[in-house]
Amino acid sequence: MDVISHPSFGELHCAQTTYCPEHPARLQVLLERFPSYERAEPAGRDRIELVHSAAYVESIEGVEREAWLDPDTYAVPSTYEAARLAAGCAIRAVEIGGLALVRPPGHHALEGAAMGFCIFGNAAIAARHAQLELGLERVAVVDFDVHHGNGTEALFRDDPSVLTVSLHQWPFWPGTGGPGSNAEGIVNVPLEAGSGDDAYRDAFTHAVEPSVSAFDPDLVLVGVGLDAHRDDPLAEMALTVDGFRELARRCAALGPRVAGVLEGGYNLETLPGLVEAVLEGLESET
């Protein structure tokens, strides 16, 4: 499976006055580990506005100095360029069946607002592109980031052509996706803190695989969140490298076509090895 990224991720979109776990070093360590990546072009506004309001896109484009869009999400003058590149890499991933290594992440971004480190909904934009340009009518987004993929869910809530699946720590930020939140086209699998490989395997067997199989997708788009690893600083889960490899393998087996987009993951020492394990899992079924 090809890796899609861009060298500018290691330079753009960097807060200068306050520390944030979502910073350029996340991609610097990954691009060093995977130097043979394919460079993608930034997404055009027409692609971004498939899921975001024009006014919101204009507000990000117009950022002239460092600002905080919510308590967790900063923007600087280069944020728009980085976010366009992230969306463009996600688009390229669905076109060729690859894994997009990007920042900022996207699964918390709402139609008209940034949230939780996320600017544009990378996976959501790629899903819409796949439907409109590739003829892939039914898309299942399977997100195993430690945080609920509330943004992706909200963007497709009333669309029966997209199934959103999220496995995440509960109770936990952002406070959505808890018990009783499932609906048509929405499968949330809240897991208690400390859950590890066995709990995630059981969740796939009993919740994820039956739901996605019944949906019968043309494309499975994986939200590759790596912050459920036992050594990640932002959460309290216990997945191992082998666990992530198995999650990726099971995701790849869910449909005839698969692609992935990086979401969270904030331990710079473990991040490259986790991405390598995910690639191995995704490739095992292709």
Side-chain angles (χ1 to χ4, degrees), residues 254-273:
L254 292 174
R257 186 165 177 160
V258 65
V261 182
L262 181 66
E263 295 289 354
Y266 304 97
N267 184 325
L268 300 186
E269 294 183 2
T270 60
L271 194 55

PDB file of all heavy atoms in Angstrom, residues 254-273:
ATOM      1  N   LEU A 254     -13.131  -5.644   5.359  1.00  0.00           N
ATOM      2  CA  LEU A 254     -14.540  -5.265   5.433  1.00  0.00           C
ATOM      3  C   LEU A 254     -15.163  -4.886   4.097  1.00  0.00           C
ATOM      4  O   LEU A 254     -16.391  -4.769   3.999  1.00  0.00           O
ATOM      5  CB  LEU A 254     -14.704  -4.084   6.400  1.00  0.00           C
ATOM      6  CG  LEU A 254     -14.444  -4.376   7.873  1.00  0.00           C
ATOM      7  CD1 LEU A 254     -14.487  -3.091   8.685  1.00  0.00           C
ATOM      8  CD2 LEU A 254     -15.455  -5.376   8.422  1.00  0.00           C
ATOM      9  N   GLY A 255     -14.360  -4.643   3.085  1.00  0.00           N
ATOM     10  CA  GLY A 255     -14.923  -4.213   1.806  1.00  0.00           C
ATOM     11  C   GLY A 255     -13.975  -4.488   0.662  1.00  0.00           C
ATOM     12  O   GLY A 255     -12.815  -4.869   0.866  1.00  0.00           O
ATOM     13  N   PRO A 256     -14.427  -4.243  -0.569  1.00  0.00           N
ATOM     14  CA  PRO A 256     -13.601  -4.542  -1.737  1.00  0.00           C
ATOM     15  C   PRO A 256     -12.485  -3.538  -1.980  1.00  0.00           C
ATOM     16  O   PRO A 256     -11.563  -3.802  -2.757  1.00  0.00           O
ATOM     17  CB  PRO A 256     -14.618  -4.491  -2.886  1.00  0.00           C
ATOM     18  CG  PRO A 256     -15.659  -3.516  -2.415  1.00  0.00           C
ATOM     19  CD  PRO A 256     -15.767  -3.742  -0.932  1.00  0.00           C
ATOM     20  N   ARG A 257     -12.560  -2.400  -1.316  1.00  0.00           N
ATOM     21  CA  ARG A 257     -11.568  -1.333  -1.520  1.00  0.00           C
ATOM     22  C   ARG A 257     -11.346  -0.630  -0.194  1.00  0.00           C
ATOM     23  O   ARG A 257     -12.307  -0.367   0.536  1.00  0.00           O
ATOM     24  CB  ARG A 257     -12.103  -0.360  -2.566  1.00  0.00           C
ATOM     25  CG  ARG A 257     -11.147   0.736  -3.003  1.00  0.00           C
ATOM     26  CD  ARG A 257     -11.665   1.361  -4.273  1.00  0.00           C
ATOM     27  NE  ARG A 257     -10.845   2.460  -4.726  1.00  0.00           N
ATOM     28  CZ  ARG A 257     -10.850   2.919  -5.972  1.00  0.00           C
ATOM     29  NH1 ARG A 257     -11.631   2.340  -6.871  1.00  0.00           N
ATOM     30  NH2 ARG A 257     -10.085   3.937  -6.323  1.00  0.00           N
ATOM     31  N   VAL A 258     -10.078  -0.324   0.124  1.00  0.00           N
ATOM     32  CA  VAL A 258      -9.767   0.286   1.423  1.00  0.00           C
ATOM     33  C   VAL A 258      -8.744   1.395   1.244  1.00  0.00           C
ATOM     34  O   VAL A 258      -7.887   1.339   0.352  1.00  0.00           O
ATOM     35  CB  VAL A 258      -9.247  -0.770   2.424  1.00  0.00           C
ATOM     36  CG1 VAL A 258      -7.915  -1.349   1.966  1.00  0.00           C
ATOM     37  CG2 VAL A 258      -9.138  -0.199   3.836  1.00  0.00           C
ATOM     38  N   ALA A 259      -8.860   2.424   2.070  1.00  0.00           N
ATOM     39  CA  ALA A 259      -7.874   3.502   2.153  1.00  0.00           C
ATOM     40  C   ALA A 259      -7.844   3.964   3.600  1.00  0.00           C
ATOM     41  O   ALA A 259      -8.761   3.679   4.383  1.00  0.00           O
ATOM     42  CB  ALA A 259      -8.230   4.656   1.220  1.00  0.00           C
ATOM     43  N   GLY A 260      -6.785   4.680   3.980  1.00  0.00           N
ATOM     44  CA  GLY A 260      -6.664   5.133   5.356  1.00  0.00           C
ATOM     45  C   GLY A 260      -6.192   6.570   5.428  1.00  0.00           C
ATOM     46  O   GLY A 260      -5.490   7.063   4.538  1.00  0.00           O
ATOM     47  N   VAL A 261      -6.575   7.254   6.518  1.00  0.00           N
ATOM     48  CA  VAL A 261      -6.176   8.637   6.770  1.00  0.00           C
ATOM     49  C   VAL A 261      -5.764   8.737   8.232  1.00  0.00           C
ATOM     50  O   VAL A 261      -6.529   8.354   9.126  1.00  0.00           O
ATOM     51  CB  VAL A 261      -7.321   9.623   6.491  1.00  0.00           C
ATOM     52  CG1 VAL A 261      -6.853  11.062   6.729  1.00  0.00           C
ATOM     53  CG2 VAL A 261      -7.852   9.466   5.078  1.00  0.00           C
ATOM     54  N   LEU A 262      -4.573   9.267   8.493  1.00  0.00           N
ATOM     55  CA  LEU A 262      -4.100   9.424   9.858  1.00  0.00           C
ATOM     56  C   LEU A 262      -4.946  10.443  10.613  1.00  0.00           C
ATOM     57  O   LEU A 262      -5.243  11.522  10.107  1.00  0.00           O
ATOM     58  CB  LEU A 262      -2.638   9.886   9.850  1.00  0.00           C
ATOM     59  CG  LEU A 262      -1.975  10.080  11.214  1.00  0.00           C
ATOM     60  CD1 LEU A 262      -1.840   8.751  11.960  1.00  0.00           C
ATOM     61  CD2 LEU A 262      -0.604  10.741  11.056  1.00  0.00           C
ATOM     62  N   GLU A 263      -5.302  10.084  11.840  1.00  0.00           N
ATOM     63  CA  GLU A 263      -5.965  11.022  12.752  1.00  0.00           C
ATOM     64  C   GLU A 263      -5.004  11.316  13.904  1.00  0.00           C
ATOM     65  O   GLU A 263      -4.005  11.974  13.714  1.00  0.00           O
ATOM     66  CB  GLU A 263      -7.306  10.436  13.222  1.00  0.00           C
ATOM     67  CG  GLU A 263      -8.339  10.244  12.106  1.00  0.00           C
ATOM     68  CD  GLU A 263      -8.924  11.533  11.565  1.00  0.00           C
ATOM     69  OE1 GLU A 263      -8.640  12.613  12.107  1.00  0.00           O
ATOM     70  OE2 GLU A 263      -9.679  11.458  10.576  1.00  0.00           O
ATOM     71  N   GLY A 264      -5.296  10.832  15.125  1.00  0.00           N
ATOM     72  CA  GLY A 264      -4.453  11.140  16.264  1.00  0.00           C
ATOM     73  C   GLY A 264      -3.277  10.192  16.427  1.00  0.00           C
ATOM     74  O   GLY A 264      -3.064   9.261  15.645  1.00  0.00           O
ATOM     75  N   GLY A 265      -2.523  10.414  17.513  1.00  0.00           N
ATOM     76  CA  GLY A 265      -1.314   9.666  17.818  1.00  0.00           C
ATOM     77  C   GLY A 265      -0.219  10.648  18.154  1.00  0.00           C
ATOM     78  O   GLY A 265       0.233  11.396  17.279  1.00  0.00           O
ATOM     79  N   TYR A 266       0.226  10.680  19.430  1.00  0.00           N
ATOM     80  CA  TYR A 266       1.027  11.809  19.900  1.00  0.00           C
ATOM     81  C   TYR A 266       2.320  11.430  20.612  1.00  0.00           C
ATOM     82  O   TYR A 266       2.992  12.296  21.138  1.00  0.00           O
ATOM     83  CB  TYR A 266       0.147  12.705  20.787  1.00  0.00           C
ATOM     84  CG  TYR A 266      -1.082  13.149  20.038  1.00  0.00           C
ATOM     85  CD1 TYR A 266      -2.295  12.469  20.196  1.00  0.00           C
ATOM     86  CD2 TYR A 266      -1.014  14.187  19.123  1.00  0.00           C
ATOM     87  CE1 TYR A 266      -3.408  12.846  19.458  1.00  0.00           C
ATOM     88  CE2 TYR A 266      -2.127  14.563  18.385  1.00  0.00           C
ATOM     89  CZ  TYR A 266      -3.320  13.886  18.557  1.00  0.00           C
ATOM     90  OH  TYR A 266      -4.418  14.238  17.810  1.00  0.00           O
ATOM     91  N   ASN A 267       2.655  10.151  20.631  1.00  0.00           N
ATOM     92  CA  ASN A 267       3.931   9.715  21.186  1.00  0.00           C
ATOM     93  C   ASN A 267       4.904   9.565  20.021  1.00  0.00           C
ATOM     94  O   ASN A 267       4.787   8.645  19.206  1.00  0.00           O
ATOM     95  CB  ASN A 267       3.761   8.388  21.931  1.00  0.00           C
ATOM     96  CG  ASN A 267       5.037   7.930  22.612  1.00  0.00           C
ATOM     97  OD1 ASN A 267       6.134   8.144  22.118  1.00  0.00           O
ATOM     98  ND2 ASN A 267       4.894   7.283  23.758  1.00  0.00           N
ATOM     99  N   LEU A 268       5.876  10.469  19.925  1.00  0.00           N
ATOM    100  CA  LEU A 268       6.762  10.486  18.769  1.00  0.00           C
ATOM    101  C   LEU A 268       7.651   9.250  18.698  1.00  0.00           C
ATOM    102  O   LEU A 268       8.119   8.882  17.615  1.00  0.00           O
ATOM    103  CB  LEU A 268       7.630  11.747  18.794  1.00  0.00           C
ATOM    104  CG  LEU A 268       6.893  13.085  18.770  1.00  0.00           C
ATOM    105  CD1 LEU A 268       7.888  14.231  18.656  1.00  0.00           C
ATOM    106  CD2 LEU A 268       5.870  13.144  17.661  1.00  0.00           C
ATOM    107  N   GLU A 269       7.898   8.598  19.828  1.00  0.00           N
ATOM    108  CA  GLU A 269       8.735   7.405  19.818  1.00  0.00           C
ATOM    109  C   GLU A 269       7.998   6.195  19.261  1.00  0.00           C
ATOM    110  O   GLU A 269       8.594   5.363  18.572  1.00  0.00           O
ATOM    111  CB  GLU A 269       9.240   7.112  21.230  1.00  0.00           C
ATOM    112  CG  GLU A 269      10.198   8.165  21.775  1.00  0.00           C
ATOM    113  CD  GLU A 269      10.734   7.799  23.143  1.00  0.00           C
ATOM    114  OE1 GLU A 269      10.384   6.710  23.652  1.00  0.00           O
ATOM    115  OE2 GLU A 269      11.506   8.591  23.709  1.00  0.00           O
ATOM    116  N   THR A 270       6.715   6.074  19.564  1.00  0.00           N
ATOM    117  CA  THR A 270       5.961   4.899  19.123  1.00  0.00           C
ATOM    118  C   THR A 270       5.260   5.106  17.784  1.00  0.00           C
ATOM    119  O   THR A 270       4.916   4.134  17.108  1.00  0.00           O
ATOM    120  CB  THR A 270       4.911   4.515  20.169  1.00  0.00           C
ATOM    121  OG1 THR A 270       4.004   5.613  20.367  1.00  0.00           O
ATOM    122  CG2 THR A 270       5.572   4.177  21.495  1.00  0.00           C
ATOM    123  N   LEU A 271       5.048   6.348  17.386  1.00  0.00           N
ATOM    124  CA  LEU A 271       4.219   6.633  16.211  1.00  0.00           C
ATOM    125  C   LEU A 271       4.708   5.947  14.932  1.00  0.00           C
ATOM    126  O   LEU A 271       3.909   5.312  14.222  1.00  0.00           O
ATOM    127  CB  LEU A 271       4.128   8.147  16.024  1.00  0.00           C
ATOM    128  CG  LEU A 271       3.063   8.698  15.083  1.00  0.00           C
ATOM    129  CD1 LEU A 271       1.674   8.226  15.459  1.00  0.00           C
ATOM    130  CD2 LEU A 271       3.119  10.231  15.080  1.00  0.00           C
ATOM    131  N   PRO A 272       5.990   6.013  14.571  1.00  0.00           N
ATOM    132  CA  PRO A 272       6.417   5.353  13.334  1.00  0.00           C
ATOM    133  C   PRO A 272       6.156   3.845  13.318  1.00  0.00           C
ATOM    134  O   PRO A 272       5.703   3.298  12.311  1.00  0.00           O
ATOM    135  CB  PRO A 272       7.917   5.663  13.264  1.00  0.00           C
ATOM    136  CG  PRO A 272       8.066   6.937  14.039  1.00  0.00           C
ATOM    137  CD  PRO A 272       7.093   6.796  15.175  1.00  0.00           C
ATOM    138  N   GLY A 273       6.427   3.164  14.428  1.00  0.00           N
ATOM    139  CA  GLY A 273       6.192   1.725  14.477  1.00  0.00           C
ATOM    140  C   GLY A 273       4.722   1.371  14.382  1.00  0.00           C
ATOM    141  O   GLY A 273       4.352   0.335  13.802  1.00  0.00           O
TER     142      GLY A 273
END
